[in-house]
Amino acid sequence: SRAYGFKTQVYDDIITVWDEVFHGKPFPFEDSQKWKAAEYMGSVLWDCIGTVVVAAAEAMDWLREAAKVAAADGLPVRWTTPAGFVVQQDYRVQECERIGLTFQKTMVRLFLQKDTAELDKRKQQSGISPNWVHSCDASHMQLTVYAAAGEGIQSFSLIHDSYGTHAGNTQVLAEILREQFVQMYSGNVLADFRDELLAQLPEGTELREVPMQGTLDLSLVLKSRFFFS
């Protein structure tokens, strides 16, 4: 679940590396309580996200609902990113096949996970929010590289949402990535997703309107020093 993801991240990023990060400072809980500590803090963080970043939580809920509607008709979710790349999310229920082998007189049993023809409705819902957001992040990076290449920048160091180039070109790259972000999100990318999904669904299928956009002036991003660093 979503909250579970926060719990596992707290456990992996803080608790498992406690000694390395805090240089011998004793962990405040017994070893048997480490996961419970992560569960508690993960739940607190999840509640805070829903309270502080309300619009993001609403968008995530809407995306999951849309994937649920598509899955009810046995359909995967397909969309076109702002950069023109077509993405299809198609998780299938898996079944485990056991294979018995004999190797040098020793019996070896292997387990192979295989996709079935059945759509995994649970994974379709849980995966849509991160997959759609990551596809938008990737589009922003792709469009930035296109524009930067047009300005003569040929060297890039890029990982997900981190942008790098030679020191002499950093200011130009910083300006371009802000410009591309504003241009890409000046429309309503979530509404575009809804329209494309509706075209795939059987006629008459209802899909509620996307959450209302806020009043943020996106052009302020152009002046934001720490929007990306």
Side-chain angles (χ1 to χ4, degrees):
S1 67
R2 297 164 288 162
Y4 182 82
F6 274 70
K7 296 170 186 177
T8 55
Q9 188 167 347
V10 169
Y11 187 85
D12 293 340
D13 293 350
I14 298 177
I15 294 179
T16 60
V17 296
W18 182 276
D19 292 337
E20 179 184 343
V21 173
F22 294 100
H23 307 292
K25 183 178 179 179
F27 190 73
F29 302 98
E30 298 291 335
D31 286 348
S32 61
Q33 300 297 312
K34 287 183 176 180
W35 174 247
K36 287 187 177 180
E39 281 188 311
Y40 170 76
M41 185 54 67
S43 297
V44 171
L45 289 172
W46 177 250
D47 290 341
C48 289
I49 291 292
T51 301
V52 177
V53 195
V54 178
E58 289 178 352
M60 291 172 62
D61 288 339
W62 186 90
L63 284 165
R64 280 188 293 273
E65 181 182 325
K68 181 178 180 180
V69 170
D73 286 310
L75 296 175
V77 181
R78 187 177 70 250
W79 68 94
T80 305
T81 71
F85 185 82
V86 178
V87 180
Q88 178 164 287
Q89 177 184 280
D90 188 358
Y91 292 113
R92 298 287 162 170
V93 173
Q94 292 189 326
E95 62 181 15
C96 184
E97 182 177 351
R98 185 171 63 181
I99 303 174
L101 302 173
T102 301
F103 180 72
Q104 294 183 350
K105 298 182 179 180
T106 301
M107 176 63 75
V108 178
R109 287 179 177 157
L110 302 177
F111 296 90
L112 178 65
Q113 294 287 344
K114 297 175 60 177
D115 286 344
T116 67
E118 182 183 355
L119 195 68
D120 191 326
K121 296 179 180 180
R122 182 184 61 81
K123 284 189 176 181
Q124 286 295 107
Q125 292 180 60
S126 64
I128 187 62
S129 296
N131 288 337
W132 184 78
V133 171
H134 289 325
S135 78
C136 289
D137 289 341
S139 292
H140 178 217
M141 181 174 285
Q142 187 177 358
L143 294 170
T144 297
V145 170
Y146 285 160
E151 296 297 324
I153 299 177
Q154 299 296 319
S155 298
F156 301 93
S157 177
L158 308 166
I159 302 175
H160 184 50
D161 57 1
S162 297
Y163 294 71
T165 187
H166 294 306
N169 292 325
T170 53
Q171 183 59 39
V172 176
L173 180 63
E175 293 173 357
I176 290 174
L177 71 86
R178 287 163 172 77
E179 292 168 356
Q180 291 302 315
F181 184 91
V182 171
Q183 182 175 332
M184 193 176 96
Y185 288 109
S186 289
N188 191 329
V189 291
L190 199 58
D192 293 340
F193 173 87
R194 178 182 182 274
D195 291 342
E196 190 171 2
L197 182 58
L198 270 176
Q200 302 166 50
L201 296 172
E203 187 175 352
T205 302
E206 294 186 1
L207 190 61
R208 70 181 176 92
E209 295 293 332
V210 299
M212 291 183 59
Q213 289 184 299
T215 58
L216 175 67
D217 181 0
L218 274 181
S219 66
L220 295 175
V221 167
L222 302 174
K223 303 175 182 178
S224 174
R225 181 179 181 185
F226 297 108
F227 176 70
F228 273 90
S229 58

